[in-house]
């Protein structure tokens, strides 16, 4: 009886270790793929744009994952709004998984709809994972005008830090 | 050695908790200064936001003191339970209170880690950040690697592979030998089959969450 119990427990532990090991391997492999993928600016055709505007890749681009209800995203929007002249030559892709009406409310609330070069897109959660891997909100990707990733910031980021990477080319 | 047998678990746990609270106090008051926060967040956050984080963390410090006895009691209980299962499968009787005492006595070796950490960082003149504080682990495998080249999930397992952990296994086996009248080899076998196996499972689980 005891022997059976020992065999059962050790088999379960071995099964758990194998399961975790396999999942860890899969996750690490996927992470490497996403790390390579985000090094280039994703095609704008992959996004479902909200509003009339669709972006041109003629300038450095900041992709900003956000959620209208997130405090740090609201802070980020307010900070960007207060420095319009610093970003005249920068495209902003505001990307979120929420519906179009919430996106419109957010862009109106922070007057981002009045600024040129600010584009809003809705992306399904599956598409976000497919394109960027796991992202937090806010999650910021800064690309130069040739579409090469310069820096990724997870979480709220000050304007000076954004400018460091948009102004370097 | 008779004294070790007579001293109560409550007393040992209280001593351990008091030392841990004292170390945490030194850690909070002398190691984590405003400049530590600035070193950590200055690249990404404005000074106003950093000040807010500092204030918020200062307000929540009492929580770290309250959680210490709870977290450590939970940890010691889990290790005791693992050893109890080890004894059960090696067809031996074991009193839970003696197992708990073995764990408590062996755990004192881990107090050297924060003490060394405090001494090390106090000599660094505030030139470190919160990541350095969290990741530094004396005499661990982590010291063999350049931290900037590692992913977040690699840090914890490399920290766990350290000299203190190996001494802990030996101390546990020794305590089992002393309290349960078994050989050191038998004690080590129980430690390896129960605690160490559980530790490996735990490491895999944590990596699974962190990746």
């Amino acid at each position: 009886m005891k022997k059976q119990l020992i065999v059962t427990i050790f088999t379960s532990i071995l099964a758990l270790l194998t399961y975790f090991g396999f999942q860890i391997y899969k996750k690490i492999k996927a992470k490497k793929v996403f790390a390579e993928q985000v090094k280039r600016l994703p095609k704008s055709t992959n996004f479902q744009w909200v509003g009339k505007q669709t972006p041109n890749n003629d300038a450095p681009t900041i992709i900003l994952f956000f959620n209208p209800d997130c405090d740090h995203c609201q802070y980020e929007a307010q900070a960007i709004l207060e420095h319009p002249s610093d970003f005249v030559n920068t495209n902003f892709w505001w990307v979120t998984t929420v519906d179009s009406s919430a996106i419109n409310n957010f862009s109106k609330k922070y007057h981002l709809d009045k600024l040129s070069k600010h584009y809003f897109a809705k992306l399904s959660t599956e598409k976000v994972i497919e394109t960027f891997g796991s992202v937090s909100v806010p999650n910021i990707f800064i690309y130069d005008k040739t579409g090469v990733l310069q820096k990724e910031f997870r979480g709220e980021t000050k304007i000076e830090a954004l400018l460091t990477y948009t102004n370097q080319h | 050695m008779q004294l070790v047998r007579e001293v109560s678990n409550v007393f040992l746990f209280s001593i351990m908790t008091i030392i841990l609270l004292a170390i945490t106090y030194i850690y909070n008051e002398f190691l984590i200064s405003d400049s530590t926060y600035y070193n950590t967040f200055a690249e990404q956050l404005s000074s106003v936001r950093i000040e807010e984080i500092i204030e918020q963390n200062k307000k929540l410090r009492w929580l770290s003191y309250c959680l210490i006895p709870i977290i450590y009691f939970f940890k010691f209980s889990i290790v005791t339970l693992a050893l109890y299962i080890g004894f059960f499968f090696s067809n031996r009787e074991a009193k839970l209170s003696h197992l708990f005492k073995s764990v408590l006595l062996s755990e004192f070796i881990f107090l050297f880690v924060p003490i060394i950490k405090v001494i090390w960082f106090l000599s660094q003149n505030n030139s470190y950040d919160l990541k350095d504080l969290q990741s530094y682990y004396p005499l661990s495998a982590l010291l063999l690697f350049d931290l900037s080249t590692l992913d977040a999930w690699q840090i914890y397992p490399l920290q766990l592979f350290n000299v203190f952990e190996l001494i802990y296994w030996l101390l546990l086996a020794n305590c089992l030998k002393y309290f349960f009248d078994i050989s050191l080899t038998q004690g080590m076998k129980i430690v390896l089959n129960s605690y160490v196996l559980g530790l490996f499972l735990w490491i895999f689980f944590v990596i699974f969450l962190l990746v």
Side-chain angles (χ1 to χ4, degrees), chain B residues 27 31-33 35-42 121 124 126-136 147:
Chain B
Y27 213 83
L31 286 191
I32 306 177
S33 62
S35 61
T36 319
Y37 286 98
Y38 277 94
N39 291 344
T40 311
F41 300 116
F121 281 104
Q124 297 298 304
N126 282 329
S127 58
Y128 50 86
D129 61 23
L130 289 173
K131 199 184 169 196
D132 296 326
L133 269 178
Q134 281 159 4
S135 53
Y136 177 75
L147 202 60

Side-chain angles (χ1 to χ4, degrees), chain B residues 46-61:
Chain B
S46 66
S47 48
V48 178
R49 295 301 263 188
I50 296 173
E51 286 299 325
E52 280 173 17
I53 293 173
I54 293 170
E55 278 313 303
Q56 204 173 18
N57 284 1
K58 276 182 182 165
K59 275 182 199 161
L60 289 173
R61 265 183 190 173

Side-chain angles (χ1 to χ4, degrees), chain A residues 13-84:
Chain A
I13 290 174
L14 205 68
L16 266 177
L17 285 175
T18 313
Y19 171 75
F20 284 141
F22 181 64
Q23 290 298 325
I24 289 164
Y25 168 76
K26 258 175 55 179
K27 279 181 165 183
I28 291 169
K29 213 174 148 189
K31 243 185 162 179
K32 277 185 185 161
V33 171
F34 293 129
E36 273 307 308
Q37 218 163 277
V38 296
K39 280 183 182 168
R40 298 289 312 179
L41 182 69
K43 284 181 183 157
S44 59
T45 48
N46 291 346
F47 297 79
Q48 188 188 325
W49 298 100
V50 176
K52 287 173 193 164
Q53 292 181 316
T54 50
N56 298 313
N57 299 341
D58 54 351
T61 301
I62 293 178
I63 297 184
L64 210 150
F65 277 94
F66 77 104
N67 185 302
D69 296 328
C70 138
D71 288 346
H72 299 286
C73 304
Q74 293 169 4
Y75 170 87
E76 199 70 53
Q78 186 62 41
I80 290 166
L81 179 71
E82 286 165 9
H83 296 81

Side-chain angles (χ1 to χ4, degrees), chain A residues 138-162:
Chain A
N139 205 133
I140 299 169
F141 296 90
I142 305 174
Y143 295 89
D144 67 10
K145 61 181 173 190
T146 63
V148 176
L149 181 71
Q150 299 301 306
K151 182 77 180 172
E152 178 188 352
F153 286 110
R154 282 181 180 253
E156 181 187 311
T157 306
K158 64 181 177 183
I159 297 301
E160 293 82 353
L162 299 181

